[in-house]
Amino acid sequence: MENCIFCKIAAGEIPSNKVYEDEKVLAFRDIDPQAPEHVLLIPKQHFDNILEVDGETFAYMQGIVKRVANELGIAETGFRVVINTGKDGMQSVNHLHMHILGGRSMQWPPG
Ligand code: AMP
């Protein structure tokens, strides 16, 4: 999608610190990390948010979460997956992305 920063990252037009990539998805380090490990997982196809994505793509992403968590070494200690959605969800980039956060103890409830 035009003017979508994550579409441009997926297309390699904007550089990113890649953790995992295949033909369907890209995982890259967040530019403003909120935890020692903070990776964003996106589908290469543009979906605005979790309400728009199809189940097959979402299920595929779930498998990649597992893979990325293993590669980051946080599968054993635990981690958090966050999908901010819309205005109240504080979504700032309107291209579906999962935040994968780990490497420290998280807090609950979130702010
Ligand atoms: P959200 O607020 O849930 O929409 O998350 C968007 C995330 O994208 C934020 O955590 C930003 O730090 C991150 N971000 C924005 N631009 C970039 C970029 N060029 N490379 C990596 N992460 C980015």
Side-chain angles (χ1 to χ4, degrees):
M1 177 177 268
E2 220 176 320
N3 295 326
C4 170
I5 186 169
F6 285 0
C7 281
K8 288 180 179 166
I9 287 175
E13 293 165 13
I14 292 176
S16 64
N17 191 343
K18 291 178 192 175
V19 172
Y20 175 83
E21 181 173 21
D22 64 27
E23 72 283 1
K24 293 190 176 125
V25 298
L26 175 65
F28 56 99
R29 293 198 175 273
D30 196 293
I31 204 167
D32 182 21
Q34 302 301 313
E37 303 290 352
H38 187 172
V39 166
L40 300 174
L41 173 61
I42 64 169
K44 288 190 171 176
Q45 185 180 346
H46 184 94
F47 300 95
D48 280 356
N49 55 44
I50 193 174
L51 302 175
E52 303 294 329
V53 67
D54 63 273
E56 188 181 337
T57 301
F58 197 69
Y60 188 80
M61 292 175 74
Q62 183 265 331
I64 303 302
V65 168
K66 192 171 173 179
R67 184 171 179 147
V68 168
N70 277 316
E71 283 180 15
L72 296 176
I74 57 175
E76 292 289 319
T77 47
F79 57 94
R80 181 170 289 173
V81 176
V82 173
I83 306 175
N84 294 327
T85 307
K87 182 171 68 70
D88 284 356
M90 298 294 287
Q91 183 177 6
S92 63
V93 177
N94 290 323
H95 179 128
L96 173 65
H97 50 283
M98 294 180 177
H99 295 260
I100 302 170
L101 299 138
R104 67 167 169 82
S105 186
M106 300 293 151
Q107 296 181 344
W108 194 262

